[in-house]
Amino acid sequence: MKLEIRNVTKAFNGKVAVDNFSMDVEAGSCVGLIGPNGAGKSSLIKVISNVIDSDGGEVLLDGQIISKMKKRIGYLPQYPNFYDWMTATETLSFMGRLSGLLKQDESRTIPGILAKVGLRGEEDSKVGTFSGGMKQRLGIAQALLHNPSLIVMDEPVSALDPIGRREVLNLIGEIKKETTILLSTHILGDAEEICERFAIMKNGRKIEDATISNLLNRNVKNKLCVRITAKDQKWIAIVKNLPYVKEVEVIGSEVIIQVENIDENKTQVLKNALEHGVDIIKFEMKNDSLEDIFLKLVVMK
Amino acid sequence: MNAFKVLTKKEFLQMLRDNKVIWLPLVFILLGMTQPVVTYYLPSIVKALAGGQGIMVDPNLTALNGGEVLASTLASQFDQLGLMILVISMMGMIQADKADGMLSFILTRPVTASSYIAGKVTSHFLMAATSVAIGYVASTIYANYLFTDVPFSRMIPALFLYLVWVLFIVTFTAMISTIFHGQGVIALISIVFLIGCRITVGLSPILDIINSASLSKHAMTLLITGTISSNIVINLLVTLFWIVLILYVTNYWIANKKFKHV
């Protein structure tokens, strides 16, 4: 399985939503499409799942155009809507049969899937009585049912309360062991928890595409953060004169020290502080969090 | 083929849950009964209500036969109130799926637009045709009982002609339901156009050829006189052409994703 997104462009009434977007997704990975509201995530997801046609570019699954590969894709819309008058089992049977599931396999597959998404006991309840979280889980069940090689999810957790979000996140964590997942979200914590790789979108363009460790490492700034007591303020002047210290910034009782090489210099700074009898409250390497990086990328670029 | 079967089955299940399988035939039974019963009792009704003022139905009026009464069931009941009820019962058939995103969702599955439309039109036509046929049979029974017997050889072909007109009604409503967003607009456009077709029948022979509502008129003529005009073949072919064209437009609209997405 390999998903290739090639130069996809989509505009609505002249307003560009997706602008020349390209990306490859390898089998077995879990990719998060993140970006602020209105970045074009949903439009791109809709092009990938063939809900809308792109104005330019193409989406290929294993080298085949996506509209011919629908059987191999599981799709979860942002607000999965099912027929209220159907029961959970009927809904899965209906969507499953449309996805090419055979009738004789239904009775075997459906109860298992319902149990997996935590809807055991609700088999014969009408979908109209379901809460948002239950509908979302039914939507995931529906996307999994026909064993697709790629699952595309549009904001799977954004509309849920904390409990529903936790349930769905755990479920996604579970299924990502078996399939390739592409999901969009604007909640960074969620993406950080389940995805190994991020594509950050802004104004329809891809502005960053990296794995989480790559992203964090790239933003290591060789900075140390030392919190000291007020009586040791004079040590700051000593630190400033050390040969390997490039810059010192004081924010309240915290001293941010930028050094030449964090790995070598951090022990030297610590030693120096101890030699001068400095009362250290906190001593840490300072890295940008994913949120800092995201904000920097989205706001600055 | 598989998707068509699944979608058709789903439509029937929905009609069952909505109780449409009960109320739609009931409505047509009532409409079918009304014409013969009211026609039969009209002299007594008029006499009871306005007899004191000297108003009455001309007693010298030639007695109607069963075929004429059945023909007026088609013209005065089915083609008026019946048509409106049919359209209103079907106005949401595709519009509802568009509005709640089910159409987009279904189309992300390996389902072609044509099997989706075929499922909708087949199921709704079968429902409408069964209801009309049941109402028509009810009307025939009353006409036979209260007036003269309607010959089988006229009644059955007339029903078939009428059902082709019903098929036109169903496909036309499906197309309007695909193209427009609001249920009110869909009902208004469909009813005005279809009743307009029915009213203009007989105004001009040229217009009659391209007007599918002529089939209803042919069915009536067959019931009253027992003869079929030679125009019928052309009318059937033209109606068939319209139906194919309507289905093509509907398919084009859905396959090219012209409908509004949610």
Side-chain angles (χ1 to χ4, degrees):
Chain A
M1 199 303 303
K2 185 173 194 234
L3 178 74
E4 297 164 78
I5 303 166
R6 296 260 167 277
N7 309 97
V8 167
T9 300
K10 176 76 192 174
F12 295 101
N13 301 325
K15 194 183 172 297
V16 175
V18 183
D19 190 3
N20 208 9
F21 190 102
S22 297
M23 182 168 80
D24 283 358
V25 178
E26 308 292 335
S29 56
C30 179
V31 181
L33 204 56
I34 55 180
N37 288 328
K41 304 184 298 285
S42 279
S43 303
L44 180 62
I45 290 271
K46 282 182 181 163
V47 169
I48 295 170
S49 51
N50 202 237
V51 172
I52 52 178
D53 289 330
S54 62
D55 297 336
E58 54 187 4
V59 182
L60 305 172
L61 186 69
D62 283 340
Q64 290 266 25
I65 201 98
I66 203 88
S67 55
K68 294 197 171 63
M69 302 295 277
K70 290 178 180 177
K71 229 177 218 177
R72 308 246 330 259
I73 298 181
Y75 171 58
L76 176 69
Q78 186 165 5
Y79 306 106
N81 238 320
F82 301 107
Y83 292 113
D84 283 350
W85 51 268
M86 278 192 185
T87 67
T89 307
E90 281 167 350
T91 303
L92 289 187
S93 161
F94 175 63
M95 294 309 286
R97 292 290 304 282
L98 288 183
S99 305
L101 189 73
L102 295 173
K103 197 173 186 142
Q104 55 264 34
D105 295 336
E106 263 179 29
S107 50
R108 194 167 44 79
T109 329
I110 292 177
I113 287 268
L114 278 172
K116 191 173 190 175
V117 299
L119 288 175
R120 200 199 297 266
E122 302 288 345
E123 290 91 345
D124 298 319
S125 311
K126 292 261 165 38
V127 176
T129 66
F130 279 19
S131 67
M134 288 163 84
K135 274 192 189 160
Q136 204 77 20
R137 281 182 282 153
L138 187 63
I140 293 179
Q142 163 276 133
L144 285 175
L145 196 57
H146 52 289
N147 268 324
S149 38
L150 172 70
I151 296 182
V152 182
M153 295 191 262
D154 192 3
E155 305 272 2
V157 290
S158 306
L160 301 179
D161 64 15
I163 302 166
R165 241 181 72 205
R166 180 50 36 218
E167 290 170 347
V168 171
L169 283 178
N170 289 346
L171 187 59
I172 296 173
E174 198 65 35
I175 56 181
K176 81 171 193 187
K177 293 171 192 159
E178 293 148 30
T179 26
T180 313
I181 297 179
L182 176 67
L183 60 86
S184 73
T185 183
H186 59 259
I187 303 173
L188 286 167
D190 299 340
E192 195 172 1
E193 186 177 330
I194 43 184
C195 303
E196 297 97 35
R197 184 179 150 203
F198 300 111
I200 301 179
M201 272 185 99
K202 189 193 171 187
N203 297 335
R205 289 168 183 273
K206 187 169 79 170
I207 54 172
E208 187 57 81
D209 184 354
T211 61
I212 178 157
S213 49
N214 189 320
L215 211 52
L216 291 174
N217 285 335
R218 205 190 307 165
N219 284 279
V220 169
K221 284 281 175 49
N222 288 339
K223 274 183 185 170
L224 289 167
C225 171
V226 187
R227 178 177 285 185
I228 52 175
T229 52
K231 69 175 176 60
D232 297 315
Q233 293 295 331
K234 57 183 182 306
W235 177 65
I236 297 168
I238 303 168
V239 173
K240 273 182 183 159
N241 291 326
L242 290 172
Y244 44 81
V245 171
K246 281 160 71 179
E247 207 186 310
V248 176
E249 193 186 348
V250 183
I251 306 168
S253 60
E254 283 188 3
V255 188
I256 313 288
I257 307 166
Q258 195 174 345
V259 293
E260 270 164 8
N261 185 334
I262 190 90
D263 294 327
E264 289 174 17
N265 303 145
K266 65 175 189 243
T267 35
Q268 290 172 303
V269 173
L270 185 57
K271 248 182 216 160
N272 186 283
L274 292 172
E275 278 164 14
H276 288 87
V278 177
D279 189 2
I280 299 172
I281 296 168
K282 189 176 91 176
F283 187 91
E284 67 170 11
M285 279 168 67
K286 189 171 168 57
N287 280 341
D288 282 353
S289 70
L290 192 65
E291 198 162 321
D292 296 330
I293 298 166
F294 178 76
L295 282 175
K296 213 177 287 173
L297 283 169
V298 170
V299 180
M300 308 289 172
K301 274 193 188 174
Chain B
M1 200 59 204
N2 170 54
F4 165 72
K5 267 195 283 183
V6 175
L7 288 163
T8 311
K9 203 180 128 199
K10 177 242 133 194
E11 289 299 319
F12 282 126
L13 189 64
Q14 185 166 14
M15 288 174 192
L16 196 69
R17 298 270 162 94
D18 289 347
N19 292 324
K20 194 177 173 182
V21 287
I22 298 170
W23 68 257
L24 197 58
L26 267 181
V27 164
F28 274 90
I29 289 173
L30 281 174
L31 287 176
M33 278 165 47
T34 307
Q35 196 64 25
V37 171
V38 169
T39 311
Y40 184 79
Y41 289 106
L42 195 61
S44 337
I45 295 169
V46 170
K47 198 176 169 194
L49 288 178
Q53 290 142 30
I55 298 171
M56 57 180 204
V57 175
D58 183 0
N60 301 322
L61 205 68
T62 47
L64 290 166
N65 66 37
E68 285 164 333
V69 174
L70 195 53
S72 58
T73 296
L74 294 184
S76 315
Q77 304 294 338
F78 288 7
D79 274 343
Q80 292 177 23
L81 199 54
L83 188 148
M84 289 185 212
I85 290 167
L86 266 188
V87 169
I88 288 169
S89 78
M90 294 186 301
M91 63 188 175
M93 68 164 133
I94 292 173
Q95 183 270 344
D97 278 355
K98 285 192 301 181
D100 61 17
M102 271 318 272
L103 177 54
S104 310
F105 198 12
I106 285 172
L107 292 179
T108 65
R109 307 292 84 231
V111 176
T112 57
S114 50
S115 51
Y116 174 80
I117 297 163
K120 287 280 180 190
V121 170
T122 308
S123 53
H124 284 269
F125 173 66
L126 283 177
M127 184 71 242
T130 312
S131 305
V132 167
I134 291 173
Y136 183 81
V137 169
S139 194
T140 311
I141 292 169
Y142 275 84
N144 286 352
Y145 182 69
L146 298 173
F147 299 90
T148 56
D149 276 2
V150 185
F152 227 63
S153 57
R154 292 183 190 183
M155 177 211 153
I156 296 295
L159 175 63
F160 275 105
L161 286 178
Y162 193 78
L163 290 183
V164 178
W165 162 234
V166 171
L167 178 60
F168 179 83
I169 294 174
V170 174
T171 48
F172 184 79
T173 311
M175 177 178 77
I176 299 298
S177 187
T178 305
I179 296 174
F180 293 91
H181 305 313
Q183 292 211 332
V185 176
I186 293 165
L188 191 73
I189 293 175
S190 306
I191 290 173
V192 167
F193 178 79
L194 292 166
I195 290 199
C197 282
R198 185 60 188 89
I199 289 171
T200 49
V201 169
L203 287 186
S204 126
I206 300 152
L207 209 62
D208 280 0
I209 288 174
I210 56 161
N211 189 346
S212 296
S214 302
L215 291 171
S216 174
K217 186 79 180 171
H218 283 303
M220 284 175 65
T221 315
L222 177 60
L223 284 171
I224 296 169
T225 65
T227 55
I228 300 182
S229 148
S230 57
N231 282 338
I232 188 72
V233 181
I234 303 168
N235 266 147
L236 278 173
L237 286 176
V238 170
T239 303
L240 198 69
F241 169 76
W242 286 136
I243 290 172
V244 170
L245 184 71
I246 287 169
L247 290 176
Y248 177 80
V249 170
T250 313
N251 187 63
Y252 173 83
W253 204 267
I254 294 180
N256 288 286
K257 309 189 166 82
K258 298 255 178 226
F259 57 91
K260 201 174 150 210
H261 297 276
V262 272

